[in-house]
Amino acid sequence: MTAPKPITVSLLISGAFVVSMNQERQVFAPGAVAVAEDRLLAIGHRDELLARFVAPQILNYPHGLILPGLINAHTHAAMALFRGLADDLPLEDWLTAHIFPAEKNLDYDFVYWGTKLAIAEMLLSGTTTFCDMYLFADAAAQAADDTGIRAVVGEVLYDFPSPNYGPPAHGLRFSAELCRTYQEHPRVRVAIQPHAVYTCSPELLQQCGELAACHEVPLIIHLSETPKEVADCLARYGATPVAHLHRLGLLNQRLVACHAVALTPEDIKLLAEHDVGVAHCPESNMKLASGIAPVAELLQARTPVGLGTDGCASNNNLDMLQEMDTAAKLQKVRRLDPTSLPAPQALALATTGSARVLGLQRQVGALVPGLKADLIVIDLHQPHLTPVYDPYSQVVYAATGADVTTVLVDGRLLVQDRRLLAFDLEETLARARELALRVKKK
Amino acid sequence: MTAPKPITVSLLISGAFVVSMNQERQVFAPGAVAVAEDRLLAIGHRDELLARFVAPQILNYPHGLILPGLINAHTHAAMALFRGLADDLPLEDWLTAHIFPAEKNLDYDFVYWGTKLAIAEMLLSGTTTFCDMYLFADAAAQAADDTGIRAVVGEVLYDFPSPNYGPPAHGLRFSAELCRTYQEHPRVRVAIQPHAVYTCSPELLQQCGELAACHEVPLIIHLSETPKEVADCLARYGATPVAHLHRLGLLNQRLVACHAVALTPEDIKLLAEHDVGVAHCPESNMKLASGIAPVAELLQARTPVGLGTDGCASNNNLDMLQEMDTAAKLQKVRRLDPTSLPAPQALALATTGSARVLGLQRQVGALVPGLKADLIVIDLHQPHLTPVYDPYSQVVYAATGADVTTVLVDGRLLVQDRRLLAFDLEETLARARELALRVKKK
């Protein structure tokens, strides 16, 4: 009897640990992953996989921890160009004296290079998918297309004129056109993204809901980010922002509520009943002093929760590994309960949770055969990641984005041994500095 | 007329920014630092310093941000060997079922190598001074001596037998001996470190106070870390832990209160009146669900506040750059005020604040002529640190320890371009893994 002939795949990658985030939460130590073109073919014990498969490219990381690529469920990528422009200010002052004036001068070029700067940062810190909300979403989509990262993009819509599409009515048309342009794209998807209940009329919100339904894409909105937003909405519409959207018929599986900080128990019930996804952004909520989202209660109610960094003007980085750490610790101190949001659950927010919130759970978020080959490798051979008792703890509480050594998106190596292969990093940094000089002058 | 002849110094180092943390909070952009042996000789504009001084070694970092070395005001370094051993557990269970049993088997070797592992992590993340509280403090002192880092160490003292010094009475003798051994050491200092009011009798606390006064060294204690500690102290002694120490005559400039989470307004007043230093450990307080220290109020009352990571069993890393970020954001969300603990103040906690708390302000904490040459360089040439509008924001909100490229302690290069020059990293990692195997078996 002879051993079966090994199957040829495009890439084999092995490490000290493979943390699959599959339904059984399997961890293989040591483990390996077989990749066939853009898909995961097999995940399992290293020796078994190395016997079953051969590949023209084999990457062995004896101290590597292999994870599904991280999914940033809410950001404004191009705001990387505003990183550190205005911090530690009262919210009104921050927005009206600094961010809005800076955004008035936006153009396609600014958003394209700002998004590329953010993509460099995201890939080098283990993010393989991001959900972006910003102006000139066509530029963000182009940057995602050009660089190899996976993205959900959408043009921010509101009741006033936009430096991109002009009068409000044009925003819906622009978004519809964007949906059509990218409907067959393997990595870039489009969402409909009204800004918030305080910047969008009920009519605009309903039109957005219809457009999202028509194109079968997510409807994404900042929702109940601050107690002030809730108070204003109550005063104006006699309902919390969540109840307001409910009355408008917009609570459904397609909806993504970003932030969801200031929720009533009734809000939580409504979100859960309608399977609305929540994009939790703890560091931004802390920095802007918005409050702490009731993540433990949302998860308890079985609401899908993902994790996001928000933009660099309120974080100020896009490091999802730090964001997980903060999410876990913040929930513990909010509940005064150290068992709240344990490490595996924090990692789930950034992987399976974000995937589900964005409707991508059949594509990404776990290392499961058939899903897209989006994965990252963390290098454990470092003093702050030594020793290893528990791979989940190590990832969530000790690692940062700088520990990510290798990144695969759609089966393609975009980062290897901390070198960005996807595009020209030096050109991007140089363009970012030039554009920042323009911001400083204004 | 000819230019004055340049003065020869031991090292010149220049960067895009020098953030001095001196009293005027001067920032030089570009800037340089002249080092003469173990001391800072001059800090100023790059071109001016490069004209005034010559040196056998000149380090130029065109994208470097030069800062005073960071000072970790409270840690248990050797607990790096327990990193990730037991997380997300109720506090009682964590301590009694995991940490205390693991600590029963401690020996000199374990603490020596655990501390060295922590020192590797600290140096590579920009910490140049740490204040340690642990068992076998002689081993920690030896590790600091051997590696070139600056340290304040102390044997943890309590009412029960210790695996190091045996019966409680021997602890004071051991500490006194340690004080004598290191009294002339250029980098290693000793402190008297009773564990807490719930583990030390009033008699032991007073004896510790006398010993600290006699040797003119700090008296360091975990104080008011949790609401439970306060409730228990009230029940037992009829006073909060702060008031209890006040009654015992122990509130003075020498005292360092670690954590100081659960404080009454009266406690804050007492701490401020007696110039007691506080070591704030936000990440540990979050992870153990202890609460949030009233740092804004302590600073308002003019209490000296420093920053610490606590040990790796409750953090789980020793990254002071992440700790600053968390400190700033946590205070904002606690106060629901985004102006609370702005970036320069967060950086002050980790530099001048920690120095003052530990009584080292005439040695370290700022880049000021005459102080010890302890400095670090952060590499800004990275996507997550581009562009730069504000160096304080960049350091506090965007950087992590992994961005530290070069570290100088006492005028000696211990890390250069992220290579640890101070000692053998591979040997330390190998020993740490061996010792962790022993922990796992038990």
Side-chain angles (χ1 to χ4, degrees):
Chain A
M1 226 179 97
T2 56
K5 204 182 155 199
I7 300 160
T8 301
V9 296
S10 42
L11 174 69
L12 271 169
I13 183 161
S14 73
F17 298 91
V18 174
V19 176
S20 71
M21 297 308 285
N22 66 12
Q23 280 207 313
E24 300 75 32
R25 292 283 187 266
Q26 280 179 292
V27 174
F28 303 96
V33 178
V35 174
E37 307 302 333
D38 62 332
R39 299 277 169 182
L40 299 168
L41 187 66
I43 294 92
H45 294 290
R46 184 180 60 192
D47 295 348
E48 192 195 318
L49 259 71
L50 294 185
R52 272 175 62 202
F53 298 100
V54 289
Q57 189 170 23
I58 299 178
L59 300 175
N60 290 315
Y61 293 96
H63 296 283
L65 186 155
I66 301 172
L67 277 180
L70 306 176
I71 303 171
N72 189 339
H74 179 60
T75 188
H76 313 283
M79 290 184 92
L81 289 173
F82 297 142
R83 186 196 319 274
L85 177 65
D87 293 317
D88 305 319
L89 296 171
L91 201 61
E92 272 307 288
D93 191 22
W94 176 70
L95 267 177
T96 59
H98 296 90
I99 300 303
F100 287 159
E103 286 185 340
K104 267 198 188 141
N105 300 302
L106 285 187
D107 58 25
Y108 184 98
D109 206 46
F110 188 95
V111 174
Y112 179 78
W113 287 103
T115 306
K116 258 184 126 164
L117 175 67
I119 291 171
E121 177 183 353
M122 288 192 277
L123 288 173
L124 284 165
S125 57
T127 294
T128 54
T129 301
F130 71 106
C131 179
D132 199 54
M133 176 197 277
Y134 212 50
L135 300 144
F136 297 92
D138 48 341
Q142 189 63 53
D145 186 25
D146 290 351
T147 56
I149 201 168
R150 195 178 303 283
V152 178
V153 304
E155 184 74 18
V156 62
L157 302 171
Y158 35 54
D159 292 331
F160 30 94
S162 151
N164 177 18
Y165 53 74
H170 292 190
L172 291 163
R173 219 183 304 154
F174 181 88
S175 298
E177 186 56 37
L178 207 61
C179 286
R180 278 188 290 270
T181 306
Y182 283 91
Q183 66 187 352
E184 303 292 336
H185 197 283
R187 291 180 287 100
V188 181
R189 295 199 167 196
V190 175
I192 308 303
Q193 308 215 11
H195 176 261
V197 299
Y198 55 92
T199 43
C200 298
S201 67
E203 296 68 38
L204 178 58
L205 291 173
Q206 277 180 320
Q207 288 167 334
C208 287
E210 282 158 23
L211 192 61
C214 165
H215 289 275
E216 298 184 338
V217 298
L219 177 71
I220 303 180
I221 187 167
H222 296 117
L223 197 70
S224 299
E225 182 173 355
T226 66
K228 183 176 185 302
E229 174 188 334
V230 176
D232 290 351
C233 190
L234 278 165
R236 193 158 162 195
Y237 299 112
T240 66
V242 174
H244 178 55
L245 292 194
H246 182 45
R247 283 190 198 162
L248 295 174
L250 295 175
L251 296 192
N252 57 49
Q253 214 178 3
R254 201 181 300 293
L255 186 68
V256 180
C258 302
H259 301 296
V261 167
L263 299 177
T264 64
E266 184 59 29
D267 288 339
I268 293 174
K269 223 175 127 199
L270 278 174
L271 293 174
E273 276 171 11
H274 294 86
D275 212 18
V276 173
V278 166
H280 177 43
C281 302
E283 295 200 16
S284 172
N285 300 154
M286 293 170 82
K287 184 152 175 281
L288 298 178
S290 306
I292 307 177
V295 172
E297 290 82 346
L298 285 164
L299 291 171
Q300 177 77 24
R302 312 193 76 73
T303 312
V305 182
L307 192 68
T309 58
D310 208 356
C312 277
S314 63
N315 186 316
N316 297 354
N317 61 36
L318 304 171
D319 185 333
M320 287 288 288
L321 281 149
Q322 288 185 70
E323 202 76 32
M324 279 186 236
D325 182 22
T326 303
K329 286 172 177 160
L330 188 62
Q331 213 53 213
K332 293 173 200 304
V333 80
R334 184 182 78 86
R335 308 255 307 164
L336 293 180
D337 174 5
T339 70
S340 201
L341 209 67
Q345 208 168 42
L347 181 56
L349 293 185
T351 52
T352 53
S354 285
R356 174 138 181 242
V357 164
L358 300 175
L360 298 175
Q361 67 272 29
R362 288 194 192 135
Q363 286 203 56
V364 292
L367 300 178
V368 168
L371 293 198
K372 290 284 196 165
D374 290 13
L375 62 78
I376 65 174
V377 184
I378 289 174
D379 175 19
L380 297 171
H381 190 65
Q382 303 186 76
H384 69 285
L385 301 179
T386 302
V388 184
Y389 295 102
D390 178 328
Y392 292 104
S393 274
Q394 213 75 344
V395 167
V396 172
Y397 297 126
T400 74
D403 302 316
V404 172
T405 184
T406 289
V407 176
L408 203 70
V409 180
D410 223 42
R412 194 176 143 215
L413 268 173
L414 300 188
V415 174
Q416 190 174 2
D417 301 327
R418 283 210 71 69
R419 279 173 304 113
L420 184 69
L421 309 178
F423 57 101
D424 186 339
L425 179 59
E426 291 306 318
E427 181 195 16
T428 304
L429 293 176
R431 294 301 295 265
R433 288 197 195 99
E434 277 169 36
L435 289 162
L437 281 180
R438 265 174 33 192
V439 173
K440 271 185 214 174
K441 276 181 198 149
K442 278 160 189 163
Chain B
M1 225 179 98
T2 55
K5 204 181 156 198
I7 300 160
T8 301
V9 294
S10 42
L11 174 69
L12 270 170
I13 184 160
S14 72
F17 298 90
V18 173
V19 176
S20 72
M21 297 309 286
N22 67 10
Q23 280 207 313
E24 299 77 32
R25 294 281 187 268
Q26 280 179 291
V27 175
F28 303 96
V33 178
V35 175
E37 305 304 330
D38 63 332
R39 299 276 170 183
L40 299 168
L41 187 67
I43 295 93
H45 293 289
R46 186 181 59 193
D47 295 348
E48 193 195 317
L49 260 71
L50 294 186
R52 272 174 62 202
F53 298 100
V54 289
Q57 189 170 24
I58 299 179
L59 299 175
N60 290 315
Y61 293 96
H63 295 284
L65 186 156
I66 302 173
L67 277 180
L70 306 176
I71 303 171
N72 189 338
H74 179 61
T75 188
H76 313 284
M79 291 185 92
L81 289 172
F82 298 142
R83 187 197 317 273
L85 178 64
D87 293 317
D88 305 320
L89 297 170
L91 200 62
E92 271 308 287
D93 191 22
W94 176 71
L95 266 179
T96 59
H98 296 91
I99 301 303
F100 288 159
E103 286 185 341
K104 267 196 188 146
N105 299 303
L106 285 188
D107 59 22
Y108 184 97
D109 206 45
F110 188 95
V111 173
Y112 179 78
W113 288 103
T115 306
K116 258 184 127 163
L117 175 67
I119 291 172
E121 177 183 353
M122 287 192 278
L123 289 173
L124 284 164
S125 56
T127 294
T128 54
T129 301
F130 70 106
C131 179
D132 200 54
M133 176 196 277
Y134 211 51
L135 300 144
F136 297 92
D138 49 340
Q142 190 62 55
D145 186 25
D146 290 351
T147 56
I149 200 167
R150 195 177 304 283
V152 178
V153 305
E155 185 74 18
V156 62
L157 303 170
Y158 34 54
D159 292 331
F160 31 93
S162 152
N164 178 18
Y165 54 75
H170 292 190
L172 291 163
R173 219 183 305 151
F174 181 88
S175 297
E177 186 56 37
L178 207 60
C179 286
R180 278 188 289 272
T181 306
Y182 283 92
Q183 67 187 353
E184 303 292 336
H185 197 284
R187 290 180 287 101
V188 181
R189 297 200 164 194
V190 175
I192 307 304
Q193 308 216 11
H195 177 260
V197 299
Y198 55 93
T199 43
C200 297
S201 67
E203 296 68 37
L204 178 57
L205 291 173
Q206 276 179 321
Q207 288 167 333
C208 288
E210 283 158 23
L211 193 60
C214 167
H215 289 276
E216 297 184 341
V217 299
L219 177 70
I220 304 180
I221 187 168
H222 296 117
L223 197 69
S224 299
E225 182 174 356
T226 65
K228 183 177 184 300
E229 174 187 335
V230 176
D232 289 353
C233 190
L234 278 165
R236 193 158 162 196
Y237 299 112
T240 65
V242 174
H244 178 55
L245 292 194
H246 182 47
R247 284 190 198 162
L248 296 173
L250 295 174
L251 296 192
N252 57 47
Q253 215 178 3
R254 203 181 299 295
L255 186 68
V256 181
C258 302
H259 300 294
V261 166
L263 300 178
T264 65
E266 185 57 31
D267 288 340
I268 293 173
K269 223 175 128 198
L270 279 173
L271 293 173
E273 275 171 12
H274 295 86
D275 212 17
V276 173
V278 166
H280 176 43
C281 303
E283 295 200 15
S284 172
N285 300 154
M286 292 170 82
K287 184 153 175 279
L288 298 177
S290 306
I292 307 176
V295 173
E297 290 82 345
L298 286 163
L299 291 171
Q300 178 77 23
R302 311 194 76 73
T303 313
V305 183
L307 192 68
T309 58
D310 208 0
C312 278
S314 64
N315 188 314
N316 295 353
N317 61 38
L318 305 171
D319 185 335
M320 287 288 287
L321 280 151
Q322 288 184 71
E323 202 76 31
M324 279 186 236
D325 181 22
T326 303
K329 286 173 177 161
L330 189 61
Q331 212 53 214
K332 293 172 200 303
V333 78
R334 183 182 80 84
R335 308 257 306 165
L336 294 181
D337 174 5
T339 70
S340 202
L341 209 65
Q345 208 168 41
L347 180 57
L349 294 185
T351 52
T352 53
S354 285
R356 175 142 180 238
V357 164
L358 300 175
L360 298 175
Q361 67 271 31
R362 289 197 192 134
Q363 287 201 57
V364 291
L367 300 179
V368 168
L371 294 197
K372 291 283 198 167
D374 289 13
L375 63 79
I376 65 174
V377 184
I378 289 175
D379 175 19
L380 298 171
H381 191 65
Q382 302 186 77
H384 69 285
L385 300 178
T386 302
V388 184
Y389 295 103
D390 179 329
Y392 293 103
S393 272
Q394 213 75 344
V395 167
V396 172
Y397 297 126
T400 75
D403 302 316
V404 173
T405 183
T406 289
V407 177
L408 203 70
V409 180
D410 225 40
R412 192 176 146 217
L413 268 172
L414 299 187
V415 174
Q416 191 175 0
D417 301 328
R418 283 209 72 67
R419 278 173 305 115
L420 185 69
L421 309 178
F423 57 101
D424 187 338
L425 179 60
E426 291 305 318
E427 181 194 17
T428 304
L429 293 176
R431 294 301 293 266
R433 287 197 195 99
E434 277 169 39
L435 289 162
L437 281 180
R438 268 175 32 195
V439 174
K440 271 185 214 173
K441 275 179 196 148
K442 279 161 187 163

